[in-house]
Amino acid sequence: MAPFPTVTAFPNTDLPRREGLIVFVRGLSIQAGIGIHDHEQGRFQTLVIDVTLDLGPAPVDRLADTVNYETVANAAREIARSGHVGLVETFAERLALACLEDVRVRAVTVRIEKPGALDGAVAPGCELRYAR
């Protein structure tokens, strides 16, 4: 009778493996022309922006392997500089799509708060997510 074969087909589940990398910018405060009401036209308001980028499990050894925080901040500032935006939802969508121009970004979540826009609330706003 032959001996039982040694089973080696099961991977070692004790070894660590990278499941993903999240890069984020939290609490970026910018001044933007934003809003649909008459009293919001021709003036700047504060937006507080959070951006979360899912880069997947790719290894990162140098800055060129990831998304620089400044790239995210500059994209938000450029949208603000480009002119008045009616809705925070529109601003969030433009920023999310700008982030997705980097092919390493698998998914992006943009949250925008507009402090002072609603009496009694700390900050109304929106949050949206795009994924490839």
Side-chain angles (χ1 to χ4, degrees):
M1 184 183 248
F4 289 101
T6 304
V7 177
T8 59
F10 297 106
N12 184 347
T13 57
D14 294 334
L15 295 175
R17 70 179 185 281
R18 181 187 294 256
E19 290 188 352
L21 172 64
I22 302 295
V23 173
F24 58 87
V25 174
R26 299 265 194 286
L28 177 66
S29 181
I30 66 168
Q31 297 297 307
I34 189 126
I36 59 169
H37 299 291
D38 289 341
H39 70 275
E40 295 176 303
Q41 304 300 314
R43 71 181 188 99
F44 291 105
Q45 297 182 72
T46 300
L47 297 179
V48 180
I49 300 170
D50 297 336
V51 177
T52 304
L53 306 173
D54 180 346
L55 301 183
V60 176
D61 295 317
R62 59 191 200 280
L63 183 58
D65 297 332
T66 188
V67 176
N68 188 330
Y69 314 125
E70 281 296 321
T71 303
V72 175
N74 288 338
R77 292 179 186 123
E78 182 57 34
I79 293 166
R81 278 192 297 268
S82 70
H84 191 91
V85 178
L87 301 171
V88 292
E89 292 85 350
T90 302
F91 196 107
E93 183 170 37
R94 289 178 186 173
L95 182 52
L97 293 173
C99 291
L100 284 170
E101 288 178 10
D102 188 318
V103 296
R104 296 169 295 188
V105 177
R106 297 171 72 179
V108 57
T109 301
V110 176
R111 177 185 178 96
I112 300 183
E113 297 179 357
K114 190 177 170 187
L118 182 62
D119 287 340
V122 172
C126 74
E127 180 174 299
L128 65 79
R129 179 173 169 82
Y130 270 85
R132 294 187 195 278

